[in-house]
Amino acid sequence: MNPVALTTGAGQIVAGAVLGYLTVSMAESFLHRNALHARLQVRRAAQRLGPAGRPLLRAYLSHAVVHHGKTYRESHVRQFQSQEEQERLDRWIVETQGDRRIIRERYGVSLAGLGILAFVAPVLPFFALYAFFLPAAAFVGALLPLAIYPLSSLVLHPYLHLPRAEAMARASRPTRWLIETRYVRFISRHHYLHHRYVHCNYNLLWLGDLLLGRHRLPSDQDLAEMRGQGMIC
């Protein structure tokens, strides 16, 4: 086989992976800010759209209202203070919102069922264009970050809300290796700041926040509070 062809193919895969990563990271930061934390004007516009606006309203309910507002109220690493608190939230979700998927998704911590498709749907048009315009090898490379994108919420996000010792005890051996990486320790700090200050640090696949001017570094006090909660940091 021609070595030049191999080099070219490998280069195309790498270039496609970089393009795919930039796409999902920028989209994650933008959508997290503007959909999951949608402003009142945006939510009102979504209400006027009827069924077309429901995915945004549901995403806002699950993330901003439930995950940020009704859970982890006292601690970044403790979702509920009591069983009674969790049961009250379950009743509120079922009786007033009628959306049991929020419960199956562990109150915005993970993804389940159609939630996985809804999570990736906004970026799929970009990858449809890449399928038409990129060489096959580059498109294959671009698909790798697309696969990692929902996995960051499905697999990694739950461990970011646990004390390190508990995370290591619960995790499989490959996940324990992942938790110990510098990247996950960085993302753990990054995500904590998002919950503390909200309007920053939207990424689990980091970079988009930096490019969009939404990245915030921890202060000494922030770091002390993370260590006090036994976080992965």
Side-chain angles (χ1 to χ4, degrees), residues 53-68:
R54 285 176 191 163
L56 184 144
L57 295 173
R58 189 208 172 272
Y60 176 84
L61 170 67
S62 176
H63 186 78
V65 176
V66 174
H67 182 58
H68 276 265

Side-chain angles (χ1 to χ4, degrees), residues 63-83:
H63 186 78
V65 176
V66 174
H67 182 58
H68 276 265
K70 295 184 178 292
T71 61
Y72 300 105
R73 301 174 76 172
E74 303 297 328
S75 168
H76 186 75
V77 294
R78 187 175 180 187
Q79 194 170 39
F80 298 103
Q81 299 305 302
S82 66
Q83 182 67 31

Side-chain angles (χ1 to χ4, degrees), residues 172-191:
S172 63
R173 182 176 296 180
T175 306
R176 287 198 297 271
W177 172 85
L178 181 65
I179 290 170
E180 290 284 81
T181 62
R182 292 179 64 184
Y183 178 77
V184 170
R185 293 200 301 270
F186 165 78
I187 285 296
S188 178
R189 299 189 296 270
H190 189 76
H191 189 62

Side-chain angles (χ1 to χ4, degrees), residues 13-79:
I13 291 173
V14 171
V18 170
L19 176 62
Y21 188 89
L22 283 171
T23 301
V24 295
S25 183
M26 293 280 284
E28 179 186 36
S29 182
F30 178 84
L31 292 168
H32 193 157
R33 179 190 177 195
N34 293 287
L36 303 188
H37 293 280
R39 293 172 298 168
L40 179 59
Q41 300 94 313
V42 174
R43 301 197 307 272
R44 285 175 173 169
Q47 288 173 335
R48 290 194 292 271
L49 289 174
R54 285 176 191 163
L56 184 144
L57 295 173
R58 189 208 172 272
Y60 176 84
L61 170 67
S62 176
H63 186 78
V65 176
V66 174
H67 182 58
H68 276 265
K70 295 184 178 292
T71 61
Y72 300 105
R73 301 174 76 172
E74 303 297 328
S75 168
H76 186 75
V77 294
R78 187 175 180 187
Q79 194 170 39

Side-chain angles (χ1 to χ4, degrees), residues 82-221:
S82 66
Q83 182 67 31
E84 290 76 15
E85 183 183 9
Q86 182 176 358
E87 290 171 354
R88 284 197 302 271
L89 179 57
D90 286 349
R91 287 195 297 271
W92 180 82
I93 291 171
V94 173
E95 294 172 6
T96 69
Q97 306 301 318
D99 192 344
R100 292 180 180 272
R101 197 172 85 203
I102 294 175
I103 299 173
R104 294 197 301 273
E105 292 178 341
R106 298 166 58 187
Y107 315 98
V109 171
S110 189
L111 300 172
L114 292 176
I116 300 173
L117 178 60
F119 188 80
V120 299
V123 302
L124 293 181
F126 294 99
F127 287 85
L129 289 174
Y130 298 158
F132 278 102
F133 294 106
L134 292 180
F139 180 63
V140 169
L143 290 178
L144 298 176
L146 178 62
I148 294 170
Y149 180 42
L151 289 175
S152 64
S153 288
L154 187 65
V155 176
L156 178 59
H157 186 209
Y159 290 100
L160 302 181
H161 282 282
L162 293 175
R164 180 185 179 280
E166 185 176 348
M168 295 297 283
R170 290 191 186 187
S172 63
R173 182 176 296 180
T175 306
R176 287 198 297 271
W177 172 85
L178 181 65
I179 290 170
E180 290 284 81
T181 62
R182 292 179 64 184
Y183 178 77
V184 170
R185 293 200 301 270
F186 165 78
I187 285 296
S188 178
R189 299 189 296 270
H190 189 76
H191 189 62
Y192 172 85
L193 296 177
H194 171 61
H195 274 261
R196 181 179 174 96
Y197 301 107
V198 182
H199 300 297
C200 64
N201 293 15
Y202 300 101
N203 280 136
L204 294 181
L205 294 180
W206 185 79
L207 189 56
D209 289 329
L210 181 65
L211 298 177
L212 295 174
R214 292 291 165 180
H215 176 61
R216 179 175 184 142
L217 292 171
S219 66
D220 290 342
Q221 181 180 351

